[in-house]
Amino acid sequence: MNPEIPRERFAPVLESLRWLFVALPLIGMVPALTPVTGAVAAVAFLSSLPLLWLPAWPPWVLPVSLTVLAASSGTLWILQPHGGLGSVVTFTTVFYAARFLTIRSGLGVSVSVAATLIVLYLRNETNIRDALLNLAMVGVIMLLGLNRRSRTARMEQTALALARARTAAEEHALAAALAERARIARDLHDVLAHSLSGLTLNLQSVRLMLVRDGASAELLAQIERAQRLASDGLAEARQAVAALREDPVPLDRAIADLLAGYRLDSGASGELTVSGTPRPVAAGATTTALRTVQEALSNTRKHAPGASVHVALSFTGDGIEVTVTDHQGRAPAPADTAGYGLRGMAERAALLGGRLSTGPGEDGWRVRLAVPA
């Protein structure tokens, strides 16, 4: 037998074979049955059918059926004591009672069997020697049923212990993985995040000194680009640290970090207003919102350098809305088509069931994102 095939798959087949110890003797008695014994045999056969669907449900079905089976098979044994087959059904009933029933229910079956043996002895259908042998047989069969019952209980306890050990091992491995991730997060935060923060501030100082000394526009553009890359890297490093710690940065704080980088990079003001009750947002919606804000700020740096930016974050009942507006001091001309960045953000929003709209405002450009979350 293949050890990978679970034993439970064969349990119904084994129970059906055991049921044959009830069905076959009853079928074998058919030629010798009278109308009275035939009715008793029919009751015994019907009461044995729940043995084919163990465990029987509801719980009272099996005790009642085994009690009826014990009484009917014992009656059949008394009515036809010399057939020999009625005793097989009675002994099989004892085995099932010892294996599956409670002690109280099993006593009911044992009383029926003991009554059968007493009646057989009193009617002189059996002598004292045969009566004692039958009682010994009942005892042996009861011990076999109890042994089978305890073996099944031990197997269940072993399976439960293995499951608990497997769960403990998985929890231990998870704890070790989380500890390692926390260590990496600390190292990343201490080394990379601090380095990028210092780099951003130093680049800001260099840019201001170059502006003071009248440096060329090309040099200033290179410094500004380096400062922007450092700011974006700082934001990504913070998100990576949060992901490693399984402690995601709230959306409003993440947007505030982007605006802080914009202020350091451009020297212009950047404000964030939050309406509604802040709550955790799904990862897809959070990523889309942050990428949209990043793209909008990048476009402001490119097309309206020095413009102040206002970001409005709104938590609605079924989603979030993010509006990024730059204030250029004049009404911008409408663009013919959206850039590739905003077009990609619109596609990302559509995949989430949201919508991205862009267009000119009163004194600048506005990007509005609405996604379910």
Side-chain angles (χ1 to χ4, degrees), residues 157-355:
Q157 292 174 358
T158 301
L160 180 60
L162 289 175
R164 289 177 175 173
R166 191 182 305 112
T167 300
E170 292 175 353
E171 291 178 351
H172 179 73
L174 178 61
L178 291 177
E180 180 64 16
R181 291 175 62 173
R183 185 191 65 79
I184 295 173
R186 288 192 300 269
D187 294 343
L188 181 62
H189 180 271
D190 294 341
V191 177
L192 186 58
H194 287 175
S195 299
L196 289 175
S197 297
L199 178 61
T200 301
L201 293 175
N202 287 335
L203 288 172
Q204 174 70 3
S205 300
V206 170
R207 188 181 68 84
L208 293 176
M209 287 187 293
L210 291 175
V211 171
R212 181 196 61 189
D213 297 338
S216 65
E218 182 179 356
L219 181 57
L220 289 175
Q222 292 295 329
I223 293 296
E224 290 172 354
R225 182 175 180 275
Q227 184 181 1
R228 183 163 59 253
L229 291 174
S231 299
D232 293 342
L234 178 60
E236 296 290 344
R238 288 176 176 172
Q239 293 180 20
V241 170
L244 285 172
R245 289 184 176 274
E246 293 187 344
D247 182 21
V249 178
L251 181 58
D252 52 345
R253 178 181 166 188
I255 293 177
D257 287 343
L258 292 177
L259 285 174
Y262 175 79
R263 288 192 296 269
L264 285 174
D265 181 26
S266 64
S269 63
E271 296 183 20
L272 171 65
T273 58
V274 181
S275 59
T277 303
R279 64 175 185 275
V281 179
T286 299
T287 301
T288 300
L290 292 178
R291 293 295 183 263
T292 300
V293 173
Q294 282 181 331
E295 185 64 25
L297 293 178
S298 177
N299 288 341
T300 298
R301 292 187 184 97
K302 180 178 179 181
H303 301 289
S308 61
V309 175
H310 177 260
V311 179
L313 172 62
S314 176
F315 292 90
T316 61
D318 57 351
I320 58 171
E321 294 183 2
V322 180
T323 303
V324 183
T325 306
D326 58 35
H327 301 281
Q328 306 175 16
R330 56 182 175 81
D336 295 335
T337 58
Y340 291 110
L342 290 178
R343 189 180 305 170
M345 292 300 102
E347 294 173 354
R348 184 192 292 266
L351 290 176
L352 297 176
R355 186 170 59 89

Side-chain angles (χ1 to χ4, degrees), residues 56-63:
W57 188 260
W60 57 266
V61 169
L62 191 59

